[in-house]
Amino acid sequence: QVQLVESGGGLVQAGGSLRLSCAASGSIFDLNPMGWYRQAPGKQRELVGTITRFSSTKYSDSVKGRFTISTDNAKNTVHLQMNSLKPEDTAVYYCYARYSILRVDYWGQGTQVTVSS
């Protein structure tokens, strides 16, 4: 069993920056990929971006050039650096990880990010 815990959410002004972190614990062996999704009120959860064990990243077109996903050397923590934030980025952000051997997905409880205009 894997637990994912997000931190770093909060309220920022448009144009500002915020850094989210997700710490994985439990059976963390071979979590690949890891990443972030988000869900705005009344909308479906959508992909923000993912990162593989080889540090290959993919991003939604809406965040490319503004957001950066990274992991620590032990691959047990994933970060989301958010720059040039826009009000449309307001959402609950969820950490994501896949146990690649069994193809099982894990989700964090989410952290609120609010961007004011």
Side-chain angles (χ1 to χ4, degrees), residues 2-7 21-23 35-37 45 92-97 105-111:
V2 172
Q3 291 182 334
L4 304 175
V5 180
E6 303 97 336
S7 62
S21 297
C22 172
W36 295 89
Y37 287 71
R45 185 164 52 185
V92 176
Y93 283 70
Y94 295 92
C95 183
Y96 162 85
D105 295 333
Y106 296 92
W107 299 91
Q109 291 185 309
T111 185

Side-chain angles (χ1 to χ4, degrees), residues 8-110:
L11 174 65
V12 297
Q13 288 187 312
S17 298
L18 204 61
R19 186 173 187 257
L20 306 182
S21 297
C22 172
S25 62
S27 300
I28 61 174
F29 178 76
D30 202 20
L31 296 178
N32 183 35
M34 299 184 71
W36 295 89
Y37 287 71
R38 67 186 182 185
Q39 187 168 25
K43 295 182 172 58
Q44 288 186 277
R45 185 164 52 185
E46 65 177 356
L47 173 70
V48 175
T50 59
I51 185 167
T52 71
R53 306 300 279 183
F54 296 99
S55 298
S56 177
T57 55
K58 295 182 180 293
Y59 299 97
S60 167
D61 288 341
S62 64
V63 306
K64 284 182 180 178
R66 300 188 298 118
F67 291 10
T68 302
I69 293 175
S70 62
T71 59
D72 62 15
N73 292 332
K75 308 289 186 182
N76 64 339
T77 303
V78 61
H79 307 281
L80 180 65
Q81 179 65 48
M82 303 183 292
N83 299 323
S84 301
L85 282 162
K86 306 174 181 179
E88 65 190 70
D89 296 318
T90 296
V92 176
Y93 283 70
Y94 295 92
C95 183
Y96 162 85
R98 191 173 199 184
Y99 185 22
S100 60
I101 297 176
L102 297 179
R103 300 174 182 176
V104 175
D105 295 333
Y106 296 92
W107 299 91
Q109 291 185 309

